[in-house]
Amino acid sequence: MSAPVVQSAKAYTSLRKKKKWPTYALFFILPAFILYTLFVIVPTLGSVYYSFTSWDGISSDVRFIGLANFVEIWNSPRVRNALQNTLVLTISLVILENILAILLAMLVDKVRWFSKLFRSLFYFPTLLSGIVMGFVWAMMLNYNFGVVNGILSKMGLEAITVDWLGDPRYALLSILLSTVWKGAGYYMIIYLAGLQGIPQELNEAASIDGASSLQQFRHITFPLLAGSVTVCMVLSMISALKIFDQIAVMTDGGPGFETETLTYLIYKVGFGELRQGFGTALAMVLFFIILIITVFQVKVLQKREVEM
């Protein structure tokens, strides 16, 4: 073996020894690991166990009932209705939030005057908690004294004033629109960062070649935003699947069960109806739904990402 090779091997061995993890580093990790174990791992394992029981969440009577909870979930019309509402909200929110966020990002990116003001105004709704936002929209959409019906009445459009939160035809739509209003600004910031990372020379060259603004967006801007699209769509999908605050404040799952989602149904049956076992089983189902959809979505979206 030649001398340079031997020296390289010795240097690599020496480097590995220097990078050896000291034992005392475990003492710095241990507190965080203990907390993570107590508040994440143990409750998760406990949830798996309780999903096979008929526990009410209060008493010490925890009866193992096997797959009975999951069989009931499979046969329950209420669960199917909640799943349908969840999917409708998720698909609608992912599409509308991302379309609006891209449009806002492009608008803010082109504005030369008061650009920071516009960014702040569009981002402001995301700073509100879901509870506060729900109360604001519930007052705005109130049938008797809400701002929306008040404006319609003053415009002479009393015929189209409706009970936005009490009518099954409009309750889910009201939740959808209020959630889009709250979330679009957050994704706008991500898209804005992506837009500002695209070299302007590409659009300038395309403009010289006679490409219209729409063609530039279709063939240059949007493909180069693929990474941002992947992040925003995954985040908006997970957020939509877990939507809870707005429903709790605005409709309480009503009228009837028309706006119940899986997350809100878990809360209602687990804490309202004292069926913690069934609620935990439903939470397990929701977890796997989110996991499967997220993995599928990431794999599909990453295939179209463009390396710059």
Side-chain angles (χ1 to χ4, degrees), residues 286-301:
L286 178 61
F287 168 77
F288 283 107
I289 290 175
I290 294 176
L291 179 64
I292 292 170
I293 293 178
T294 302
V295 171
F296 174 77
Q297 188 181 38
V298 170
K299 286 186 175 296
V300 170
L301 292 175

Side-chain angles (χ1 to χ4, degrees), residues 169-188:
R169 295 173 296 175
Y170 303 106
L172 200 64
L173 176 63
S174 300
I175 292 173
L176 171 64
L177 295 178
S178 63
T179 306
V180 170
W181 173 82
K182 182 181 187 301
Y186 176 80
Y187 305 113
M188 176 200 71

Side-chain angles (χ1 to χ4, degrees), residues 69-85:
N69 286 327
F70 295 95
V71 173
E72 183 178 352
I73 289 173
W74 181 263
N75 296 319
S76 173
R78 187 178 178 186
V79 173
R80 285 196 293 271
N81 174 70
L83 177 60
Q84 178 182 328
N85 290 338

Side-chain angles (χ1 to χ4, degrees), residues 1-250:
M1 186 180 295
S2 62
V5 175
V6 173
Q7 291 177 357
S8 299
K10 289 181 177 179
Y12 176 72
T13 304
S14 176
L15 184 63
R16 288 194 62 184
K17 288 181 179 179
K18 289 181 180 179
K19 287 188 174 181
K20 188 176 180 180
W21 199 9
T23 306
Y24 62 80
L26 293 173
F27 292 100
F28 293 96
I29 299 174
L30 194 59
F33 178 74
I34 292 174
L35 291 175
Y36 184 81
T37 302
L38 290 176
F39 293 101
V40 177
I41 297 178
V42 172
T44 300
L45 295 177
S47 297
V48 174
Y49 169 72
Y50 286 123
S51 66
F52 296 100
T53 69
S54 62
W55 186 42
D56 60 6
I58 299 176
S59 69
S60 58
D61 181 21
V62 181
R63 289 183 296 128
F64 185 82
I65 58 175
L67 297 173
N69 286 327
F70 295 95
V71 173
E72 183 178 352
I73 289 173
W74 181 263
N75 296 319
S76 173
R78 187 178 178 186
V79 173
R80 285 196 293 271
N81 174 70
L83 177 60
Q84 178 182 328
N85 290 338
T86 301
L87 294 177
V88 169
L89 277 175
T90 299
I91 295 172
S92 302
L93 283 172
V94 169
I95 294 173
L96 294 178
E97 281 184 334
N98 282 276
I99 290 177
L100 182 58
I102 291 176
L103 293 176
L104 292 176
M106 294 182 66
L107 174 63
V108 171
D109 190 45
K110 297 295 183 182
V111 170
R112 297 186 180 274
W113 299 94
F114 305 108
S115 60
K116 293 183 179 180
L117 174 62
F118 284 110
R119 294 181 194 182
S120 301
L121 289 175
F122 294 144
Y123 185 76
F124 174 74
T126 66
L127 301 178
L128 299 175
S129 70
I131 298 294
V132 173
M133 186 274 289
F135 276 118
V136 171
W137 277 85
M139 289 188 290
M140 289 173 57
L141 298 175
N142 187 277
Y143 180 70
N144 297 313
F145 56 82
V147 174
V148 175
N149 282 346
I151 293 175
L152 292 175
S153 298
K154 289 184 178 299
M155 294 174 61
L157 301 174
E158 293 90 348
I160 63 174
T161 57
V162 296
D163 189 357
W164 298 98
L165 302 178
D167 192 324
R169 295 173 296 175
Y170 303 106
L172 200 64
L173 176 63
S174 300
I175 292 173
L176 171 64
L177 295 178
S178 63
T179 306
V180 170
W181 173 82
K182 182 181 187 301
Y186 176 80
Y187 305 113
M188 176 200 71
I189 297 298
I190 299 176
Y191 284 122
L192 183 60
L195 285 173
Q196 293 179 345
I198 298 175
Q200 292 299 318
E201 294 82 1
L202 297 177
N203 286 317
E204 291 173 359
S207 180
I208 293 173
D209 291 337
S212 64
S213 298
L214 182 60
Q215 290 173 327
Q216 292 177 36
F217 175 78
R218 178 182 176 185
H219 298 290
I220 298 175
T221 304
F222 189 69
L224 294 178
L225 277 178
S228 300
V229 171
T230 299
V231 172
C232 290
M233 292 193 71
V234 170
L235 290 177
S236 61
M237 185 274 298
I238 294 175
S239 176
L241 286 171
K242 299 190 302 179
I243 187 171
F244 176 83
D245 297 348
Q246 297 90 317
I247 297 174
V249 174
M250 295 174 67

